């Protein structure tokens, strides 16, 4: 079957808001045309993010009752440590309150002023932490990733020539680590091939540069490797995941995605010295190294979530849901990023609204209009998310100007996705009437979260 049905039964339900267009008009004005600022109770189908929005299983909820909330040495930490060692293969794990907590510790420990951190496309919080510690981010993703219409099975791959050029230009000692995201969120949830991961590791080893993964959506990446890389067709998701991680020296993880929990994250590494220094810092920012910002019950839910995440039927259905929505939109002629990735469908706002130049925030207005049209909440991933160049103060102008329809894990059904598609398609039909926005409030850091806009 092309789109496998849900491999779970629904035991608990959560009603969501049904609103009128008039109500939504008031709500979006109050929210400054920023979908981040809408109240949850004003939203119908919520595709803002797949982060922390997962439905946990009965097994995970049962684990929540087994929380050992001891200040130190919680048995849930020991369980989580065992599970991470088993599935991810790293020696040491430092729990954090979420992914950016791990990014903070990694960037603080490894980066020195004037360093360069290459990565396969930026992510907002990841780059913000790198820059905060004095590094410049350098994009080393393959060029195809910047073209929304280019079909490529592994559009998240690192361009080895770009990486080699940077090493030649600045010297290996100015590169504290290479950050490889598996998958690449802002490229459209695009995967990295096993072969590319192997090659990146080999190149970095020659120059003694550590490789750190952003493992946030690593299970989705493992699924694409199984689907698209011949040698792995018969391999299990768990085995693929384990091999992927063997090409890294450590990772940051937002457990809110592929660990199937609502909160939590961790930092992993094999180097004992780095681990020891990380345990010193985690005490300062998060908590004891045996809980690092998470309750015992949250660590138990995460340990159980990691085991569930490598189930083939779970991950096959998850990716199929994204593809289902993407296929419906493509059939109706709506421009989306191709191929559809692992966690979302991305509308190409440049092609959707060709009459709006990037300074009029086409993706921002498209997200606001989709909410008005249908009550569906999505997220801008374009010029607003990209922020400003720290040196020049100019807007970063990413080639990709996108709206992300992000599918939470185990939350919605194909029928919900039909409704989403209907909303997008009816908006597409009246796209000529959509006008741009001006920014009237701009926060200095990570502006997309709280910026406010008005119609032009
Ligand atoms: N790395 C990637 C690739 C992410 O997508 C995120 C979060 C983080 C790191 C940070 O993790 O939120 O747990 O601190 N992405 C969310 C999103 C916010 O909606 O894409 P966090």
């Amino acid at each position: 079957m092309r789109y496998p049905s849900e491999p779970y039964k629904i035991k608990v339900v959560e009603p969501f808001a049904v609103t009128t267009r008039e109500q939504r008009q008031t709500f979006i004005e109050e929210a400054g045309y920023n979908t981040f600022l809408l109240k949850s109770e004003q939203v119908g189908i919520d595709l803002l993010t797949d982060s922390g929005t997962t439905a946990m299983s009965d097994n995970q909820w049962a684990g929540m009752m087994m929380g050992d909330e001891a200040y130190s040495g919680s048995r849930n930490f020991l369980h989580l440590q065992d599970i991470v060692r088993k599935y991810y293969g790293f020696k040491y794990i430092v729990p954090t309150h979420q992914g950016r907590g791990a990014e903070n510790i990694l960037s603080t420990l490894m980066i020195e002023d004037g360093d360069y951190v290459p990565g396969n496309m930026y992510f907002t919080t990841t780059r913000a932490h790198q820059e905060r510690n004095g590094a410049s981010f350098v994009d080393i993703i393959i060029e195809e990733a910047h073209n929304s219409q280019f079909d490529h099975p592994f559009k998240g791959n690192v361009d080895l020539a770009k990486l080699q050029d940077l090493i030649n230009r600045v010297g290996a000692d100015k590169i504290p680590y290479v950050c490889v995201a598996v998958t690449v969120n802002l490229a459209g949830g695009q995967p990295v091939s096993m072969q590319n991961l192997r090659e990146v590791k080999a190149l970095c080893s020659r120059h003694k540069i550590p490789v750190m993964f952003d493992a946030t959506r690593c299970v989705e990446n493992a699924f694409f490797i199984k689907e698209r890389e011949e040698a792995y067709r018969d391999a299990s998701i768990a085995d693929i995941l384990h091999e992927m991680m063997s090409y890294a020296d450590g990772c940051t993880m937002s457990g809110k995605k592929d660990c199937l929990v609502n909160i939590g994250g961790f930092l992993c590494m094999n180097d004992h010295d780095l681990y020891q220094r990380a345990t010193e810092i985690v005490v300062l920012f998060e908590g004891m190294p045996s809980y690092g910002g998470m309750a015992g019950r949250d660590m138990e839910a995460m340990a159980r979530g990691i085991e569930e995440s490598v189930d083939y039927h779970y991950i096959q259905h998850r990716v199929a849901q994204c593809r289902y929505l993407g296929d419906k939109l493509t059939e109706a002629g709506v421009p989306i990023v191709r191929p559809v990735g692992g966690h979302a469908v991305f509308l190409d706002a440049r092609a959707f609204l060709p009459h709006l130049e990037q300074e009029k925030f086409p993706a921002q207005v498209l997200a606001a209009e989709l909410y008005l049209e249908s009550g569906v909440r999505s997220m801008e991933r374009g010029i607003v998310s990209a922020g400003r160049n720290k040196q020049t103060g100019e807007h970063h102008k990413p080639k990709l100007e996108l709206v992300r329809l992000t599918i939470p894990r185990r939350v919605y059904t194909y029928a919900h996705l039909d409704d989403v598609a209907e909303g997008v398609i009816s908006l597409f039909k009246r796209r000529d009437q959509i006008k741009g926005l001006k920014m009237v409030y701009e926060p200095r850091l990570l502006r997309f979260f709280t910026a406010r806009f008005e119609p032009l």
Side-chain angles (χ1 to χ4, degrees):
M1 200 176 4
R2 194 138 172 249
Y3 306 117
S5 65
E6 283 70 22
Y8 46 80
K9 296 187 279 182
I10 296 166
K11 186 157 10 203
V12 177
V13 297
E14 179 187 357
F16 57 72
V18 180
T19 53
T20 63
R21 194 187 173 90
E22 288 66 39
Q23 287 173 317
R24 293 196 292 275
Q25 183 68 51
T26 313
F27 297 152
I28 196 73
E29 276 171 28
E30 283 170 1
Y33 290 81
N34 185 346
T35 51
F36 274 103
L37 299 178
L38 289 167
K39 297 188 182 102
S40 168
E41 65 194 22
Q42 298 168 340
V43 173
I45 295 173
D46 199 349
L47 306 187
L48 183 70
T49 176
D50 63 331
S51 181
T53 51
T54 300
M56 290 209 297
S57 67
D58 52 358
N59 173 48
Q60 287 176 289
W61 280 107
M64 295 285 279
M65 288 304 291
M66 303 299 287
D68 172 1
E69 307 306 341
Y71 191 77
S72 179
S74 161
R75 68 164 173 263
N76 309 118
F77 170 68
L78 299 175
H79 184 203
L80 177 61
Q81 184 172 258
D82 284 350
I83 291 287
V84 171
R85 283 180 177 157
K86 178 176 171 191
Y87 289 100
Y88 290 68
F90 297 110
K91 281 194 195 142
Y92 305 109
I93 163 175
V94 181
T96 57
H97 72 286
Q98 56 182 70
R100 68 199 71 179
E103 291 171 347
N104 177 30
I105 297 173
L106 180 72
S107 307
T108 305
L109 286 179
M110 295 193 73
I111 294 173
E112 284 177 20
D113 218 15
D115 278 350
Y116 297 85
V117 181
N120 50 347
M121 204 174 266
Y122 86 101
F123 183 72
T124 53
T125 59
T126 319
R127 188 180 67 191
H129 276 294
Q130 292 160 358
E131 290 177 346
R132 189 167 168 270
N133 285 283
S136 304
F137 166 80
V138 181
D139 192 0
I140 52 164
I141 202 165
I142 55 170
E143 214 40 49
E144 289 87 339
H146 295 285
N147 178 348
S148 69
Q149 295 313 304
F150 197 94
D151 257 310
H152 187 298
F154 292 105
K155 227 175 165 179
N157 278 356
V158 169
D159 184 329
L160 295 161
K162 285 188 188 172
L163 177 54
Q164 184 67 62
D165 282 353
L166 180 72
I167 297 171
N168 296 346
R169 189 157 59 80
V170 304
D173 57 337
K174 284 278 173 209
I175 303 176
Y177 58 96
V178 175
C179 177
V180 181
V182 286
T183 60
V184 184
N185 188 352
L186 297 193
Q190 306 294 343
V192 183
S193 71
M194 194 75 92
Q195 190 189 332
N196 191 247
L197 293 177
R198 211 177 286 130
E199 288 167 354
V200 171
K201 181 66 186 153
L203 174 55
C204 288
S205 294
R206 283 203 291 282
H207 295 276
K208 299 197 169 50
I209 302 171
V211 176
M212 304 303 281
F213 283 175
D214 179 341
T216 296
R217 296 183 180 83
C218 56
V219 180
E220 289 162 15
N221 201 94
F223 176 82
F224 286 117
I225 288 176
K226 182 173 172 63
E227 186 184 62
R228 298 176 186 174
E229 220 167 332
E230 186 59 32
Y232 295 90
R233 190 185 286 171
D234 299 322
S236 70
I237 298 294
D239 285 348
I240 294 173
L241 185 61
H242 207 271
E243 184 180 337
M244 280 166 56
M245 296 301 169
S246 73
Y247 302 123
D249 298 282
C251 74
T252 55
M253 182 73 192
S254 170
K256 302 170 75 172
K257 285 81 163 177
D258 271 0
C259 299
L260 300 177
V261 287
N262 305 121
I263 194 72
F266 52 81
L267 172 64
C268 284
M269 67 285 279
N270 290 325
D271 182 74
H272 186 257
D273 177 58
L274 183 64
Y275 171 64
Q276 226 151 27
R277 290 190 295 131
T279 57
E280 289 163 18
I281 292 207
V282 79
V283 178
L284 203 58
F285 290 105
E286 309 266 340
M288 283 285 285
S290 61
Y291 74 90
M294 276 194 276
R297 56 179 171 270
D298 293 329
M299 291 189 282
E300 187 59 33
M302 185 184 269
R304 294 178 184 217
I306 291 172
E307 289 211 281
E308 292 175 17
S309 72
V310 297
D311 173 64
Y312 177 72
H313 300 289
Y314 150 72
I315 189 63
Q316 179 202 28
H317 168 262
R318 160 143 190 79
V319 174
Q321 277 204 330
C322 298
R323 211 165 280 170
Y324 176 81
L325 178 58
D327 288 350
K328 285 218 134 190
L329 295 179
T330 301
E331 275 161 31
V334 177
I336 63 168
V337 174
R338 304 191 48 80
V340 174
H343 67 305
V345 174
F346 288 73
L347 304 178
D348 182 346
R350 281 180 193 274
F352 202 114
L353 303 172
H355 56 287
L356 293 184
E357 56 262 40
Q358 206 168 13
E359 285 84 353
K360 291 183 179 165
F361 309 113
Q364 187 76 30
V365 73
L366 188 53
E369 287 283 339
L370 179 62
Y371 171 71
L372 262 176
E373 186 76 19
S374 62
V376 171
R377 172 153 71 170
S378 58
M379 181 194 285
E380 192 263 8
R381 292 274 87 147
I383 187 170
V384 183
S385 295
R388 289 182 186 273
N389 180 307
K390 242 186 141 188
Q391 270 82 45
T392 66
E394 296 291 308
H395 289 297
H396 284 297
K397 287 190 181 165
K399 289 194 185 127
L400 297 178
E401 179 73 22
L402 310 174
V403 169
R404 190 181 71 176
L405 302 165
T406 339
I407 319 250
R409 295 169 182 78
R410 305 191 294 206
V411 171
Y412 294 113
T413 63
Y414 292 104
H416 289 116
L417 300 177
D418 288 340
D419 284 355
V420 174
E422 202 176 294
V424 175
I425 292 163
S426 80
L427 191 60
F428 188 59
K429 287 183 181 145
R430 63 169 186 82
R431 59 191 181 278
D432 300 347
Q433 299 158 13
I434 298 175
K435 299 196 176 70
L437 295 172
K438 62 171 188 259
M439 200 175 344
V440 293
Y441 165 62
E442 180 177 355
R444 279 186 307 149
L445 279 178
L446 299 174
R447 62 184 183 178
F448 56 95
F449 283 127
T450 52
R452 301 184 69 86
F453 301 82
E454 281 172 9
L456 279 173

